Amino acid sequence: KLVPTRFTVLGSGSGGNASFLETDQTRILIDAGLSGRQIRLRLAQLGRAPETLDGILLTHEHSDHTQGLKAICKKLDIPVYCNRLTADELRFRLKIDLNIHQFVTGEPFEIGNMKIENFSVPHDAQDPVGFHIKTPDGGIGILTDLGQTTRLVLERVREAKTLLIEANYDLNRLQQDTRRPWSIKQRIMSRHGHLSNRDTSEAIENLANGSLENVVLCHLSSDCNTPEIAENSIKEKLEKLGIENIQITVSSQGEPTETIIL
């Protein structure tokens, strides 16, 4: 096999989320929450184009994960993979005909030589899911937009070699934030909200004794977290446990994160 599997976060944060995964035979986007123009530009930085995509995989319907669909799919008939409730919400909101391939939550399916396992996660969307995408070079776990990492969720990504996981907020920063009303803070901290740095570090600790090699932190809040705080909180936890074999990367909103080669 000439080309190894490659995973790149094109951009991640409250303003939009999209990642690109390619094997020697298959290319997909995971979420399309950047603008169509930004998705095209950032794929171009990798020498790729939306025209070559075999599919777009959606975790849930929120606009910071889907807002680029309209622009990209208007001209290109790219298959969009999502479950029924996400599809219903998109048809209602976007008012364009998407080439939707509906999957049943919990039932695996294939795109090219990728096997896609999906599972429910707790978040305030219609039917949000996480993914464990199995490629010839190892698995990629996708855990974004969830209020807690339940035991079931962690079991589903336990064999993953690379993990994309949100580290949305630092608890102190969120509590001290003057711009968000208390009701919003409660939603963010709830079991259907988002993961704090502490939640994320506990999840990584739980997964750290297996096949995990790379962790990419995503979906950082621009005012209730910083890349430094997020990275340090995870690294401190791993150092305390004497775990040195996991590479931590922090994704950014403004540009693609360095490509991980599986």
Side-chain angles (χ1 to χ4, degrees):
K1 199 164 97 289
L2 301 173
V3 188
T5 298
R6 305 163 80 89
F7 176 68
T8 313
V9 179
L10 298 179
S12 182
S14 311
N17 299 272
S19 301
F20 176 66
L21 176 64
E22 66 176 327
T23 65
D24 58 336
Q25 295 172 24
T26 310
R27 292 174 179 174
I28 64 168
L29 276 189
I30 302 145
D31 287 331
L34 304 172
S35 70
R37 182 171 171 272
Q38 279 301 322
I39 290 172
R40 190 172 278 282
L41 278 172
R42 295 181 195 199
L43 282 174
Q45 288 178 25
L46 308 176
R48 301 290 179 259
E51 283 77 5
T52 67
L53 290 171
D54 296 294
I56 300 173
L57 207 51
L58 299 180
T59 54
H60 63 300
E61 80 280 1
H62 289 166
S63 62
D64 60 331
H65 294 259
T66 59
Q67 65 191 343
L69 283 175
K70 202 166 183 171
I72 286 189
C73 297
K74 201 175 247 177
K75 296 192 184 81
L76 307 173
D77 195 32
I78 303 166
V80 175
Y81 293 83
C82 60
N83 56 30
R84 185 177 63 81
L85 291 178
T86 302
D88 289 350
E89 194 69 22
L90 289 175
R91 288 190 186 102
F92 173 72
R93 274 220 325 262
L94 297 181
K95 299 182 172 46
I96 61 163
D97 275 339
L98 293 171
N99 176 7
I100 288 177
H101 290 228
Q102 253 173 236
F103 60 77
V104 176
T105 302
E107 290 187 9
F109 58 95
E110 287 174 14
I111 306 175
N113 63 351
M114 298 178 189
K115 182 183 180 188
I116 320 283
E117 295 180 354
N118 70 91
F119 47 90
S120 290
V121 296
H123 185 57
D124 56 0
Q126 294 295 338
D127 185 8
V129 295
F131 294 112
H132 187 173
I133 305 168
K134 296 186 171 176
T135 78
D137 298 305
I140 294 105
I142 307 289
L143 295 180
T144 175
D145 293 61
L146 67 168
Q148 59 177 160
T149 51
T150 61
R151 210 169 68 230
L152 267 113
V153 163
L154 291 174
E155 285 314 310
R156 298 305 299 270
V157 295
R158 188 163 296 287
E159 302 302 312
K161 198 168 169 181
T162 295
L163 178 67
L164 178 71
I165 184 169
E166 77 166 5
N168 183 251
Y169 64 95
D170 171 72
L171 190 55
N172 294 334
R173 284 195 160 224
L174 179 65
Q175 287 172 337
Q176 290 160 13
D177 181 53
T178 52
R179 289 178 21 195
R180 287 171 176 77
W182 177 237
S183 59
I184 298 278
K185 293 182 186 184
Q186 280 182 304
R187 184 194 85 78
I188 293 167
M189 292 186 285
S190 78
R191 65 180 298 275
H192 289 94
H194 289 280
L195 296 182
S196 69
N197 293 337
R198 184 189 295 166
D199 297 330
T200 305
S201 63
E202 284 171 4
I204 294 166
E205 175 189 358
N206 188 298
L207 297 168
N209 51 7
S211 40
L212 192 60
E213 292 176 10
N214 293 291
V215 172
V216 186
L217 305 178
C218 69
H219 218 306
L220 274 68
S221 162
S222 55
D223 26 57
C224 296
N225 211 352
T226 70
E228 296 72 33
I229 292 174
E231 187 173 359
N232 288 339
S233 73
I234 311 298
K235 284 190 168 167
E236 276 169 25
K237 183 82 159 176
L238 293 179
E239 272 167 26
K240 270 188 196 145
L241 298 164
I243 294 163
E244 296 164 0
N245 58 345
I246 296 177
Q247 182 70 38
I248 306 289
T249 311
V250 185
S251 62
S252 100
Q253 187 72 84
E255 59 185 0
T257 305
E258 196 173 329
T259 294
I260 289 171
I261 296 171
L262 271 72

